[in-house]
Amino acid sequence: MVLLSLVASHHDLDLGVLERLQHDVHAVGRELVAATGYVTGAVVLATCNRFELYLDVDDIEHAPLATAAAAQTVAARSGYTTTQVVTHLQALTGTEASRHLFAVASGLDSMVVGEREIAGQVRRALTGARRDGTTTSGLEALFQAASRTSRAVEARTGLGAAGRSVVGVALDLAEPGLPAWPEVRCVLIGTGSYAGASLAALKARGCSDVRVYSPSGRAGQFAAARGVRAVPAGADLHAELADIDLVVACSGASGAVLEVDALAAVRTGTCCPLTVIDLALTHDVDPGVRDLPGVRLVGLQTVAEHAPAEHAAVQDAHQVVAAAAEEFEGDRRVREWDAVLVAARTRVLGALETLLSRLPEDQRDEAAERALRRRTRSRLHGPTVRAREAARAGDAIAYAVALAELSQVPVPEAPRRDAPAV
């Protein structure tokens, strides 16, 4: 089997392209696994600045077929041609794939380097694949290792401890046009994980006057659990914004929740400035609101342009990630190649146990049998260790040499009471 990663991110693509690639994203993994015999598992990681597919493919020779099938599946939903999708996706395999995911989970590949939210998004991607029945043991191991690496990076380097995040940068950008944070009146649009992170960031800055609006009607439960108010279900969102200083939108609803014409109508005659932060890749806010008098819009593209530069801990974090990826790939090769090694050892040890079991009881010598087992395992030990070391290093030639040594170890003769031990 081979782990194949297909990556599209903010590094290479406009956020509008990423938005289209993610259309109906949760069906992609299910369809790929159901429609092909060579893609045995799939995990989809879709965030505000990336769209990534992690596929378990039965053979490296089928990786191009898996890439083509994934491109066709995404193209059918995005409106792009298959050829266009292929050009948007970077294919990674082996150590490159695991190193990339470990870097992503650690916040090293984010719009804001060191952001904390991505680790939870990586975990939720695996949870979603479990729910859809598209995980495999290989993908489970990969994503669990990514989460461990993320924790190791933060523990060893402190990256992320300062609270660097997309939300934090957006609030930094919004701050100059706002009253003092304890006086800010805010409407939060959304009740998902990003809304939770946004609310926590607002409270940390001293903003307590937060009203929550949910396009799906979940505001009441979300707000009650966090000690804030909810905009009543069925209320007109735009009417709620007449005396508001700040809107933070991160619902990811299909289509704009905050519309330019409706907002213009409720702001007629007001001189109160309004700052709008739109953190949804699918645009909760009509981009046209930036042209309204007194309205300032901060979107993901603005966050990307003002994200803080990498700092000294990042280099150390990359070293942690690289070491973790090498270790993961080594462990994976050992597991994959171990079946042949076990068969080579079983040829000797299994045959020996069969011979011993066939001896008449009156001819068996337990002490001699134990000594024979020790000597046999000792002869097998050296080539076994060398084979596993070669598997870990990916050295197929050294692995073959070690297997050849194992094949030369003979099955010993069974000791008898009336015969000296061999």
Side-chain angles (χ1 to χ4, degrees):
M1 58 84 86
V2 62
L3 292 171
L4 171 64
S5 174
L6 301 174
V7 176
S9 81
H10 65 99
H11 292 298
D12 308 304
L13 300 174
D14 182 82
L15 294 177
V17 176
L18 290 175
E19 179 182 343
R20 286 182 63 179
L21 291 175
Q22 292 188 23
H23 185 70
D24 196 18
V25 65
H26 298 293
V28 171
R30 294 193 302 269
E31 183 170 318
L32 271 174
V33 173
T36 68
Y38 40 84
V39 178
T40 58
V43 178
V44 182
L45 176 60
T47 75
C48 64
N49 52 39
R50 70 183 61 257
F51 169 64
E52 302 185 355
L53 297 171
Y54 290 85
L55 308 179
D56 197 339
V57 183
D58 64 352
D59 193 284
I60 186 63
E61 294 182 354
H62 290 151
L65 292 176
T67 301
Q72 290 172 357
T73 304
V74 173
R77 291 166 166 77
S78 66
Y80 287 124
T81 66
T82 300
T83 301
Q84 287 174 318
V85 173
V86 168
T87 63
H88 293 326
L89 298 175
Q90 178 188 12
L92 305 172
T93 58
T95 305
E96 285 188 343
S98 55
R99 185 188 298 120
H100 174 76
L101 178 60
F102 294 177
V104 167
S106 302
L108 294 174
D109 198 62
S110 294
M111 194 177 285
V112 177
V113 175
E115 69 153 323
R116 296 173 299 174
E117 288 91 347
I118 186 63
Q121 292 167 331
V122 168
R123 290 193 298 271
R124 287 190 289 276
L126 179 60
T127 299
R130 288 172 179 163
R131 183 183 59 247
D132 293 340
T134 61
T135 56
T136 62
S137 60
L139 290 170
E140 288 276 351
L142 176 69
F143 273 74
Q144 289 170 13
S147 293
R148 289 195 301 272
T149 302
S150 173
R151 293 192 294 271
V153 164
E154 182 162 354
R156 297 180 197 178
T157 70
L159 191 67
R164 296 153 61 90
S165 68
V166 171
V167 174
V169 173
L171 292 177
D172 287 344
L173 293 172
E175 190 170 35
L178 295 172
W181 282 109
E183 300 171 9
V184 170
R185 297 161 297 182
C186 177
V187 166
L188 175 64
I189 300 175
T191 55
S193 60
Y194 242 86
S198 298
L199 180 57
L202 287 164
K203 286 185 172 181
R205 292 170 185 246
C207 179
S208 58
D209 186 354
V210 180
R211 286 168 259 178
V212 181
Y213 174 82
S214 171
S216 58
R218 291 192 290 264
Q221 182 178 0
F222 177 93
R226 293 163 177 81
V228 293
R229 291 179 291 164
V231 174
D236 180 5
L237 168 64
H238 301 84
E240 295 288 326
L241 304 183
D243 61 346
I244 290 296
D245 305 300
L246 174 66
V247 174
V248 179
C250 47
S251 77
S254 179
V257 178
L258 189 58
E259 298 174 346
V260 62
D261 291 341
L263 182 60
V266 299
R267 287 187 55 80
T268 299
T270 182
C271 59
C272 177
L274 174 65
T275 300
V276 179
I277 296 175
D278 187 0
L279 299 178
L281 183 61
T282 52
H283 296 305
D284 278 346
V285 179
D286 186 327
V289 303
R290 62 165 47 91
D291 298 323
L292 296 178
V295 177
R296 185 162 61 109
L297 177 64
V298 176
L300 285 173
Q301 195 65 50
T302 311
V303 171
E305 293 167 358
H306 292 82
E310 298 185 6
H311 55 71
V314 172
Q315 184 175 356
D316 292 338
H318 277 294
Q319 292 175 351
V320 173
V321 164
E326 289 292 340
E327 181 179 0
F328 174 79
E329 286 301 313
D331 289 343
R332 186 182 63 80
R333 279 191 296 266
V334 168
R335 289 193 300 271
E336 286 190 355
W337 295 12
D338 211 41
V340 178
L341 186 59
V342 169
R345 289 173 57 86
T346 301
R347 177 189 65 82
V348 178
L349 295 175
L352 174 59
E353 293 302 323
T354 299
L355 289 174
L356 294 176
S357 68
R358 291 175 179 173
L359 285 175
E361 286 297 324
D362 60 353
Q363 295 183 18
R364 300 194 66 165
D365 184 331
E366 291 185 7
E369 289 176 12
R370 285 196 299 272
L372 179 59
R373 288 189 180 98
R374 284 197 300 271
R375 290 196 300 275
T376 303
R377 290 195 179 96
S378 179
R379 294 190 67 177
L380 295 170
H381 179 72
T384 299
V385 170
R386 288 190 288 278
R388 286 185 172 139
E389 289 175 346
R392 183 171 297 281
D395 189 338
I397 295 176
Y399 184 77
V401 170
L403 282 180
E405 290 183 53
L406 281 174
S407 70
Q408 299 302 311
V409 178
V411 178
E413 295 182 6
R416 299 170 182 265
R417 287 184 181 276
D418 56 352
V422 177

